[in-house]
């Protein structure tokens, strides 16, 4: 009785700490029949004695295991940059590369200067702006003179309006020249042009060489935004019709991680050479270190397809006790641990390969409380 009282107090305290409360009905008709004839359950390893009220107060959810798990298809996949996530930085005018401020692997911001090219076009832009400003100053003075003469009654209104029209044209030319000058990033001495990045990201290719002569349009850098990557999956002809936009997916990274994704689109026709369609997956979040051109494995889950030969349970139900994956199976007087072998995890559920039978009732939400209580009970016995 003392052991049972201590377990109950520990579970109740844990429930108050997490602030989770639930009202799950008891299931006497589906309790596990293995209640261990010899000894009380609190004395048997992997067994906890809890009343239905204690289970409810701890916020422990229960679920009946049933057959059926989502069908999952495994395909090779390639990481690519989305159309808006890659930018090519080229030389906007012929000239000599005079400075380089960014190189391969560096991070850049949108509009940041990555290099400078000494070019005759820079001098032309500076000269054009200077001439436009001088013309505007001259026509401003002419307009002011015509305005005074008109106010004195010396000249006609037509002369004043003509002077105003000429001044407006000159001012428009100044604005155009200033915009071209600024867009080209002309240096203060009027000799070089700025090479800037069209987006924020990381430089994945760099062909700029200090002192090299480049022509207009030559590619100097390539920038990729790591937050704008997508994954392309080649779907064989027999499986292409099974995949639709919105289907869940998971990416298997080389380091063993699994990242959630979702099918964004599927090409409506097959590639004539490979006889395959392409599914484009959108990433749930950016993945540090992932680069365009990387090869992965993609696990796709066609919506509505169920494999009745497998079982899947919530991931929260699986706990690790003494190095083994277990679930807590409901018994008449509480729970007992049941070792299981797990498979794929996707969409918050895990496939059970062995160790669990359909019809068993297991703890799901807050099953970690049972694991914690089991650990405390084991420590007490050891002491």
């Amino acid at each position: 009785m003392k052991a049972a009282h201590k377990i109950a107090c520990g579970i109740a305290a844990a429930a108050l700490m997490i602030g989770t409360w639930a009202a799950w009905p008891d299931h006497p008709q589906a309790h596990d029949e293995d209640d261990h004839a010899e000894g009380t359950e609190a004395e048997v390893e992997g067994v906890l004695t809890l009343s239905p009220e204690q289970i409810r107060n701890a916020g422990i959810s229960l679920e009946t295991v049933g057959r059926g798990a989502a069908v999952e298809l495994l395909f090779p996949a390639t990481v690519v940059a989305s159309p808006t996530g890659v930018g090519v930085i080229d030389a906007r005018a012929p000239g000599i590369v005079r400075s380089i401020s960014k190189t391969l692997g560096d991070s850049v911001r949108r509009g940041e200067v990555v290099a400078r090219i000494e070019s005759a076009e820079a001098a032309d832009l500076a000269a054009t702006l200077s001439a436009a400003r001088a013309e505007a100053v001259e026509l401003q003075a002419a307009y002011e003179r015509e305005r005074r003469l008109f106010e004195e009654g010396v000249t006609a209104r037509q002369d004043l309006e003509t002077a105003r029209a000429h001044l407006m044209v000159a001012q428009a030319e100044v604005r155009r020249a200033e915009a071209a000058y600024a867009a080209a990033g002309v240096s203060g001495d009027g000799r070089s042009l700025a090479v800037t990045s069209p987006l924020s990201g990381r430089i994945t290719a760099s062909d700029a060489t200090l002192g090299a002569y480049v022509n207009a349009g030559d590619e100097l850098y390539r920038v990729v935004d790591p937050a704008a990557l997508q994954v392309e999956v080649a779907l064989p002809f027999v499986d292409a019709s099974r995949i639709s936009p919105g289907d869940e997916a998971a990416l298997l990274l080389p380091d063993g991680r699994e990242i959630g994704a979702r099918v964004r689109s599927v090409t409506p026709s097959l590639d004539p050479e490979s006889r395959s369609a392409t599914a484009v997956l959108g990433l749930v979040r950016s993945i540090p270190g992932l680069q365009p051109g990387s090869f992965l494995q993609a696990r796709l889950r066609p919506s509505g397809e169920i494999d009745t030969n497998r079982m899947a349970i919530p991931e929260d139900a699986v706990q690790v006790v003494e190095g083994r994956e277990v679930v807590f199976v409901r018994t008449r007087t509480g729970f007992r641990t049941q070792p299981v072998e797990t498979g794929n995890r996707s969409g918050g559920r895990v496939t059970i390969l062995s160790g669990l039978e359909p019809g068993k009732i297991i703890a799901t939400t807050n099953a970690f409380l049972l694991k914690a209580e089991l650990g405390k009970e084991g420590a007490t016995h050891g002491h």
Side-chain angles (χ1 to χ4, degrees), residues 360-377:
K360 297 294 185 181
I361 294 178
I362 60 173
T364 56
T365 304
N366 292 339
F368 71 91
L369 295 177
L370 299 176
K371 171 186 173 180
E373 195 59 39
L374 192 64
K376 288 191 293 183
E377 186 64 25

Side-chain angles (χ1 to χ4, degrees), residues 284-346:
V284 175
R285 58 181 175 84
S286 61
I287 305 174
L290 200 62
Q291 298 291 338
S294 302
F295 294 102
L296 308 170
Q297 292 288 320
R299 186 184 298 125
L300 276 58
R301 302 177 64 184
S303 298
E305 293 192 24
I306 300 297
D307 184 353
T308 57
N309 295 321
R310 297 192 303 163
M311 295 179 294
I313 62 175
E315 284 187 294
D316 291 344
V318 180
Q319 301 294 317
V320 178
V321 177
E322 296 182 352
R324 298 182 303 173
E325 288 186 313
V326 304
V327 297
F328 287 88
V329 178
R330 184 76 164 94
T331 67
R332 290 191 181 91
T333 55
F335 294 93
R336 68 174 177 84
T337 59
Q338 175 63 49
V340 294
E341 181 184 359
T342 62
N344 298 330
R345 298 171 184 260
S346 183

Side-chain angles (χ1 to χ4, degrees), residues 3 38-45 47 49 377 381:
E38 297 182 2
T40 64
E41 288 190 283
E43 296 172 343
V44 179
E45 183 180 358
V47 175
T49 300
E377 186 64 25
H381 288 166

